Amino acid sequence: MDLSEGNDFIMDIRRPNDSELEKIILLSPQALFDGTLGEVSPTIDKVRSLIEPLLKKGSYYLIAIEEGKLMGWILIGASRDQFTDKTNGFIYELFVLEEFRGNGVSKQLMKTAIDELRQHGYSEVRLSAYAGNQAIKLYEKMGFNIRTVSMSLSL
Protein backbone atom coordinates (compact mmCIF):
# COMPACT_ATOMS: atom_id res chain seq x y z
CA MET A 1 0.00 0.00 0.00
CA ASP A 2 1.54 3.33 -1.07
CA LEU A 3 0.73 6.24 1.19
CA SER A 4 1.67 9.81 0.45
CA GLU A 5 2.30 12.07 3.40
CA GLY A 6 2.56 15.63 2.11
CA ASN A 7 4.97 16.12 -0.78
CA ASP A 8 8.04 15.10 1.18
CA PHE A 9 8.04 11.34 0.74
CA ILE A 10 6.07 8.30 -0.27
CA MET A 11 6.06 5.41 2.11
CA ASP A 12 5.01 1.86 1.59
CA ILE A 13 3.36 0.03 4.48
CA ARG A 14 3.56 -3.75 4.24
CA ARG A 15 4.63 -6.90 6.04
CA PRO A 16 8.41 -7.27 6.39
CA ASN A 17 10.55 -9.86 4.67
CA ASP A 18 12.89 -12.04 6.78
CA SER A 19 15.85 -9.64 6.72
CA GLU A 20 13.60 -6.70 7.60
CA LEU A 21 12.11 -8.73 10.46
CA GLU A 22 15.61 -9.41 11.79
CA LYS A 23 16.39 -5.68 11.61
CA ILE A 24 13.24 -4.93 13.63
CA ILE A 25 14.30 -7.44 16.28
CA LEU A 26 17.78 -5.89 16.45
CA LEU A 27 16.24 -2.42 16.88
CA SER A 28 13.56 -3.57 19.33
CA PRO A 29 15.64 -3.07 22.50
CA GLN A 30 15.76 0.65 21.65
CA ALA A 31 12.04 0.63 20.84
CA LEU A 32 11.21 -0.93 24.22
CA PHE A 33 13.59 1.44 26.01
CA ASP A 34 11.90 4.45 24.38
CA GLY A 35 8.38 3.06 24.84
CA THR A 36 8.94 2.46 28.55
CA LEU A 37 10.53 5.91 28.96
CA GLY A 38 13.89 4.37 29.82
CA GLU A 39 12.53 2.03 32.47
CA VAL A 40 13.27 -1.18 30.55
CA SER A 41 16.52 -1.91 28.73
CA PRO A 42 16.05 -5.43 27.33
CA THR A 43 18.58 -7.70 25.68
CA ILE A 44 18.01 -9.15 22.20
CA ASP A 45 17.28 -12.51 23.86
CA LYS A 46 14.58 -10.90 26.02
CA VAL A 47 13.09 -9.21 22.95
CA ARG A 48 12.97 -12.54 21.11
CA SER A 49 11.32 -14.22 24.13
CA LEU A 50 8.60 -11.54 24.08
CA ILE A 51 8.05 -11.36 20.32
CA GLU A 52 8.38 -14.97 19.12
CA PRO A 53 5.32 -16.29 21.04
CA LEU A 54 3.22 -13.44 19.60
CA LEU A 55 4.37 -14.20 16.05
CA LYS A 56 3.66 -17.92 16.54
CA LYS A 57 0.11 -17.06 17.63
CA GLY A 58 -0.52 -15.06 14.45
CA SER A 59 0.56 -11.55 15.36
CA TYR A 60 2.56 -9.76 12.70
CA TYR A 61 4.48 -6.61 11.91
CA LEU A 62 3.66 -3.94 9.41
CA ILE A 63 6.59 -1.77 8.40
CA ALA A 64 6.85 1.71 6.93
CA ILE A 65 9.50 1.87 4.19
CA GLU A 66 10.68 4.79 2.11
CA GLU A 67 13.19 4.26 -0.70
CA GLY A 68 14.31 1.01 0.91
CA LYS A 69 14.79 2.57 4.35
CA LEU A 70 12.98 1.18 7.38
CA MET A 71 11.18 4.10 9.01
CA GLY A 72 9.18 2.30 11.67
CA TRP A 73 6.85 -0.57 12.48
CA ILE A 74 3.76 -1.68 14.29
CA LEU A 75 3.10 -5.13 15.78
CA ILE A 76 -0.54 -6.21 15.69
CA GLY A 77 -2.51 -9.28 16.63
CA ALA A 78 -5.18 -10.54 18.98
CA SER A 79 -5.58 -10.40 22.73
CA ARG A 80 -8.17 -12.04 24.95
CA ASP A 81 -9.78 -9.91 27.65
CA GLN A 82 -9.05 -11.63 30.98
CA PHE A 83 -12.48 -10.82 32.40
CA THR A 84 -14.86 -11.30 29.47
CA ASP A 85 -12.83 -13.78 27.36
CA LYS A 86 -13.66 -11.61 24.33
CA THR A 87 -10.89 -11.48 21.73
CA ASN A 88 -9.91 -8.00 20.58
CA GLY A 89 -7.46 -6.62 18.08
CA PHE A 90 -4.32 -5.48 19.85
CA ILE A 91 -1.44 -3.15 19.01
CA TYR A 92 1.55 -4.57 20.82
CA GLU A 93 4.21 -2.16 19.64
CA LEU A 94 4.55 1.04 17.61
CA PHE A 95 7.96 2.51 16.87
CA VAL A 96 9.33 5.09 14.46
CA LEU A 97 13.07 5.61 14.11
CA GLU A 98 14.09 8.99 15.49
CA GLU A 99 15.13 10.46 12.13
CA PHE A 100 11.61 9.90 10.74
CA ARG A 101 9.58 11.17 13.69
CA GLY A 102 7.26 14.12 13.19
CA ASN A 103 6.37 13.13 9.61
CA GLY A 104 3.10 11.28 10.23
CA VAL A 105 4.65 7.80 10.05
CA SER A 106 3.06 6.69 13.34
CA LYS A 107 -0.34 7.93 12.24
CA GLN A 108 -0.16 6.06 8.93
CA LEU A 109 1.02 2.87 10.64
CA MET A 110 -1.85 3.17 13.14
CA LYS A 111 -4.45 3.79 10.42
CA THR A 112 -3.24 0.81 8.40
CA ALA A 113 -3.13 -1.45 11.47
CA ILE A 114 -6.63 -0.45 12.57
CA ASP A 115 -7.94 -1.09 9.05
CA GLU A 116 -6.31 -4.54 8.99
CA LEU A 117 -7.67 -5.45 12.43
CA ARG A 118 -11.15 -4.31 11.31
CA GLN A 119 -10.83 -6.50 8.20
CA HIS A 120 -9.91 -9.45 10.47
CA GLY A 121 -13.31 -8.99 12.14
CA TYR A 122 -12.37 -7.32 15.40
CA SER A 123 -14.90 -4.84 16.76
CA GLU A 124 -12.42 -3.27 19.19
CA VAL A 125 -8.71 -2.45 19.17
CA ARG A 126 -6.73 -2.08 22.37
CA LEU A 127 -3.19 -1.10 23.28
CA SER A 128 -1.13 -0.33 26.36
CA ALA A 129 1.26 2.56 26.89
CA TYR A 130 3.43 3.86 29.68
CA ALA A 131 2.08 7.00 31.36
CA GLY A 132 3.93 9.97 29.90
CA ASN A 133 4.61 8.32 26.53
CA GLN A 134 4.24 10.96 23.80
CA ALA A 135 2.36 8.49 21.60
CA ILE A 136 -0.65 8.71 23.94
CA LYS A 137 -1.54 12.06 22.33
CA LEU A 138 -1.71 10.34 18.93
CA TYR A 139 -3.81 7.50 20.33
CA GLU A 140 -6.29 9.95 21.83
CA LYS A 141 -6.50 11.93 18.56
CA MET A 142 -7.32 8.66 16.80
CA GLY A 143 -10.21 7.99 19.18
CA PHE A 144 -8.64 5.71 21.79
CA ASN A 145 -9.92 6.19 25.34
CA ILE A 146 -8.41 5.22 28.66
CA ARG A 147 -10.01 1.94 29.68
CA THR A 148 -7.89 0.71 32.58
CA VAL A 149 -5.18 2.29 34.70
CA SER A 150 -2.25 0.32 36.06
CA MET A 151 -0.64 1.88 39.11
CA SER A 152 2.52 1.13 41.07
CA LEU A 153 4.06 2.03 44.42
CA SER A 154 7.82 1.90 44.85
CA LEU A 155 8.86 0.31 48.15
Side-chain angles (χ1 to χ4, degrees), residues 18-132:
D18 289 344
S19 65
E20 292 163 338
L21 179 59
E22 190 57 31
K23 186 171 185 177
I24 289 168
I25 290 169
L26 293 175
L27 292 169
S28 284
Q30 183 64 46
L32 286 169
F33 182 82
D34 289 2
T36 60
L37 309 179
E39 200 170 300
V40 177
S41 189
T43 63
I44 291 289
D45 288 340
K46 180 63 176 174
V47 166
R48 286 186 197 280
S49 75
L50 294 170
I51 293 170
E52 286 175 0
L54 293 173
L55 297 178
K56 284 181 182 164
K57 289 181 184 173
S59 295
Y60 60 93
Y61 285 98
L62 294 171
I63 59 171
I65 296 278
E66 178 199 21
E67 296 176 2
K69 283 188 172 181
L70 177 65
M71 301 168 74
W73 63 82
I74 193 164
L75 176 58
I76 62 175
S79 178
R80 185 175 300 276
D81 183 287
Q82 63 182 344
F83 299 113
T84 66
D85 284 332
K86 179 182 173 194
T87 302
N88 301 291
F90 203 86
I91 295 171
Y92 287 98
E93 184 179 4
L94 171 66
F95 184 73
V96 174
L97 281 79
E98 198 165 342
E99 66 193 276
F100 299 109
R101 293 178 187 168
N103 293 311
V105 177
S106 290
K107 186 176 183 179
Q108 291 299 339
L109 282 165
M110 287 289 294
K111 283 182 175 182
T112 303
I114 291 166
D115 286 346
E116 289 221 5
L117 291 167
R118 183 182 292 116
Q119 289 172 17
H120 289 306
Y122 299 109
S123 59
E124 185 179 355
V125 177
R126 296 183 184 176
L127 56 80
S128 296
Y130 265 65

Side-chain angles (χ1 to χ4, degrees), residues 6-21:
N7 293 327
D8 297 330
F9 61 88
I10 295 176
M11 74 178 132
D12 185 34
I13 296 183
R14 59 171 172 76
R15 291 190 188 209
N17 62 35
D18 289 344
S19 65
E20 292 163 338
L21 179 59

